[in-house]
Amino acid sequence: MRQDASPRQGQRDTASVTLQDIAAHAGVSRSTVSLVLRESPLVAERTRLKVQRSIKALGYVYNRGAAALRGSRTSTLGVVVYDIANPFFGAMVAGIDAALNREGYVSFLANSEDSPARQQRFLERMREHRVDGILLCPAEGTDPTLIDTLDGWGMPCVQVLRHVGEPPFDYAGADFHQGVCQAMDHLVALGHRRIAFLGGHSEHSATRERWQGYRESLERHRLTYQRLLRSTVTRRDGVAMIQQLMAESPAPSAVVCHNDLVAFGAMLGLKHLGRVPGVDCAVIGTDDVEEATLGDPALTSVATHPHAIGEEAARLALRRIATPEGAREQVVLAPRLQVRDSCGATRPPSGATELNPAAGEHA
Amino acid sequence: MRQDASPRQGQRDTASVTLQDIAAHAGVSRSTVSLVLRESPLVAERTRLKVQRSIKALGYVYNRGAAALRGSRTSTLGVVVYDIANPFFGAMVAGIDAALNREGYVSFLANSEDSPARQQRFLERMREHRVDGILLCPAEGTDPTLIDTLDGWGMPCVQVLRHVGEPPFDYAGADFHQGVCQAMDHLVALGHRRIAFLGGHSEHSATRERWQGYRESLERHRLTYQRLLRSTVTRRDGVAMIQQLMAESPAPSAVVCHNDLVAFGAMLGLKHLGRVPGVDCAVIGTDDVEEATLGDPALTSVATHPHAIGEEAARLALRRIATPEGAREQVVLAPRLQVRDSCGATRPPSGATELNPAAGEHA
DNA sequence: GCTAGTTTTTAGACCAATCCAAAAACGCCA
DNA sequence: TGGCGTTTTTGGATTGGTCTAAAAACTAGC
């Protein structure tokens, strides 16, 4: 495809046009060209136009590496998630990307797979690239001092979804505590008395918050049945946990799940046992991923708005970069219980299910 | 958190330790330190250890911007996808990330949302950052000359999943043509004669390949019923299309879908109509995302192995970077029909469904 | 026409690495 | 001890921008 020895170029070696060349072509100094590139108001209109014409004519390409060397900003961010294959994170990253894009920022992405070591390597790498800041969904088992370390580096860091270390720190996430309470209240209102909670380690905040919501709800409603199963948070775990629970006596009449993946697994597990989710045992998930409307029955879930969280996190990061010493902020979005058919629906499980995120009515 | 005026540092201003400082501390020259950093075999063992000790002692941070200025490589890649919220891309990005991580590469990610303009902006930005190469899932409506433009830039580019422009180019994807044929053959073997195909625009290769597979299969099996519906490829489209089809006479007895999202939508639409997917109308998807095992019935789908495609694409890119003038390569992974219960299963739709990706048996 | 004040432009140092070619150090043997 | 071939080390040029402070070019007022 590419002819060897005679690379096709509009004009000379396209990779080597520098500020100096533009300056010569336009009959001004290097400094002036630099000012034009950065849209400085110092430059006179006529000069600006002249320089811009030269830039076009020579096919100049701005060299961000060189600019970063002397300047203070790279317009670059590092983003760490622990499971990009989870559609929840997909939506969140889309939100981050949209917000950053609007501000002329661009981001590195790493998938830590919940490995603190891998996360650490990436963060060090980001430091070498002189990114302006980090968006971090800390991997499970992250050393809480990591936040202090980043602070010591002078690296702005916004934690997302989970947080480690001591406040004050920048954080964007959902109110998981409240989310679980909403789910519990709903189930209690439907008459459930034996409600279990499925999934999570205690290593990080997002899990602790959920568990606390569970325990507080039990107390508030004076429920004596208490069953909290720890696990990683995949479909497979959901299947295993529900099977374990249904074999017990008494079995729960409802389960609230750490996330939608676990809830999907729980529903699947119930089917394996010949039980009908939503009839024999109510199931509520957390996240409200798009897939929640699928399945039979459609999953009732606590919506945590990943796209909005992503945008919010990006906004926070940009604000911190602009004012490094400003007060730390925590943005905690309110969740919303999205009622569908997996928690004792009035309609038959195989009946019509809505596609739009509009809550179904329940008696 | 961060004390103003007295930033906490282990030793001096941590951000300003340079090669020069290391050289002075270790009693060698700047050049030698540089060689040590790049793990050059030229350096004597004793010197290497001495320098490494100084690097640790002073808390040195490598400056990749500076290195990129003089050197030829940045160990950096740009990745463009068009819908990161789609779990298929999530898995693919995870594959890319894993493969790059192993080779010490790190990547920028952009979500084009199928906007060629946004894609273009990102690519130009990547050029300014001097990335070593691009992994591109071209946005719908991408001008085919884009590939020539990138080539003109001297920028290695591997297209993924879709491709535009004329071969030879580097490409990693799945054999969508063969995938559709497998699905069609399976349906015909089950006795279906009226099979429709749902979804896709004709703008890019991946859709054309699917359609061609559909039409060829019709011919090969001498089927006269032909119904191919164009659309974007979301759940919503699946619902709409299946409802339109079922209102026709004759209605299809089976549908093959552009991707799993459309297939999920189709199953949902059938339920809306009071029909049972897999009984009243067989449904086959493409991608085999993890969610395919959910739902009722579990979705039969053509597995296209996104994680593997991602790894393969990354591998191709690294190879091209190493040998810019080598022959272009196209890696096309064979798809595999993952038979479950949505296409005329022998078991009852509400019965046990498997979680593991092991094919269900059919009479 | 001269001066003071404002607007534009510029020279030259600087950022932190890599590259190249040449110099220094080393080892070995006559 | 000198000479020769390796192995290591090094100085200085180079990369392509930004920054700062000062110079130059205008403008208006007297």
Side-chain angles (χ1 to χ4, degrees), chain B residues 19 34 38 60:
Chain B
L19 275 198
S34 177
R38 285 174 290 154
Y60 170 74

Side-chain angles (χ1 to χ4, degrees), chain A residues 101-155:
Chain A
N101 187 49
R102 284 195 291 274
E103 304 297 329
Y105 264 73
V106 93
S107 68
F108 290 97
L109 177 79
N111 191 38
S112 72
E113 294 180 2
D114 261 336
S115 151
R118 195 160 156 190
Q119 171 175 283
Q120 182 72 24
R121 268 211 313 285
F122 179 73
L123 291 174
E124 282 166 9
R125 179 70 182 264
M126 289 299 96
R127 191 186 185 199
E128 296 178 357
H129 280 289
R130 301 279 193 271
V131 296
D132 294 342
I134 295 282
L135 292 182
L136 176 67
C137 303
E140 195 136 14
T142 296
D143 185 335
T145 66
L146 176 62
I147 300 307
D148 300 327
T149 302
L150 288 170
D151 196 57
W153 291 357
M155 176 72 78

Side-chain angles (χ1 to χ4, degrees), chain B residues 29-280:
Chain B
S29 75
R30 224 166 57 259
S31 306
T32 301
V33 179
S34 177
L35 291 172
V36 170
L37 282 172
R38 285 174 290 154
E39 302 183 341
S40 162
L42 287 177
V43 186
E45 185 66 10
R46 291 192 50 229
T47 316
R48 206 167 56 76
L49 288 173
K50 192 170 54 177
V51 170
Q52 282 173 334
R53 237 173 293 127
S54 296
I55 287 174
K56 272 247 170 72
L58 297 187
Y60 170 74
V61 178
Y62 188 58
N63 185 327
R64 296 210 174 241
L69 191 52
R70 195 66 172 75
S72 55
R73 216 136 281 181
T74 58
S75 294
T76 279
L77 228 65
V79 178
V80 189
V81 300
Y82 44 87
D83 182 16
I84 187 64
N86 181 333
F88 179 85
F89 285 101
M92 198 188 76
V93 168
I96 292 172
D97 190 79
L100 291 184
N101 187 49
R102 283 196 292 272
E103 304 298 328
Y105 264 74
V106 93
S107 67
F108 291 97
L109 178 79
N111 190 37
S112 72
E113 291 179 5
D114 260 336
S115 151
R118 193 158 157 192
Q119 171 176 283
Q120 182 72 23
R121 270 211 312 284
F122 179 72
L123 291 175
E124 281 165 9
R125 179 69 182 265
M126 289 298 97
R127 190 185 186 200
E128 296 178 357
H129 280 289
R130 302 280 193 269
V131 296
D132 294 343
I134 295 282
L135 292 182
L136 176 68
C137 304
E140 196 136 11
T142 296
D143 185 334
T145 65
L146 176 62
I147 301 307
D148 300 327
T149 303
L150 288 169
D151 196 58
W153 292 357
M155 175 73 78
C157 172
V158 175
Q159 297 193 70
V160 193
L161 286 179
R162 300 171 174 177
H163 51 82
V164 298
E166 295 303 312
F169 42 60
D170 285 306
Y171 171 74
D175 189 337
F176 297 109
H177 179 277
Q178 193 196 332
V180 171
C181 289
Q182 286 180 14
M184 294 291 288
D185 291 351
H186 181 68
L187 288 170
V188 169
L190 290 175
H192 290 279
R193 286 289 168 267
R194 295 192 312 284
I195 309 173
F197 189 93
L198 304 191
H201 286 284
S202 68
E203 302 273 8
H204 57 77
S205 59
T207 298
R208 283 197 301 276
E209 289 173 19
R210 284 174 171 93
W211 289 359
Q212 212 171 356
Y214 174 61
R215 296 206 181 94
E216 281 185 23
S217 295
L218 291 182
E219 267 183 49
R220 197 172 52 254
H221 293 293
R222 308 193 181 291
L223 301 179
T224 52
Y225 179 93
Q226 171 165 358
R227 204 79 181 74
L228 194 162
L229 271 64
R230 316 178 58 156
S231 77
T232 53
V233 290
T234 66
R235 275 181 206 80
R236 211 168 299 271
D237 297 309
V239 173
M241 286 188 284
I242 197 73
Q243 290 184 333
Q244 178 188 337
L245 281 179
M246 297 316 277
E248 296 177 358
S249 165
S253 69
V255 294
V256 177
C257 302
H258 181 276
N259 67 9
D260 284 349
L261 297 187
V262 171
F264 289 141
M267 294 210 293
L268 206 55
L270 285 169
K271 288 184 197 173
H272 285 186
L273 297 169
R275 315 287 181 91
V276 180
V279 174
D280 297 323

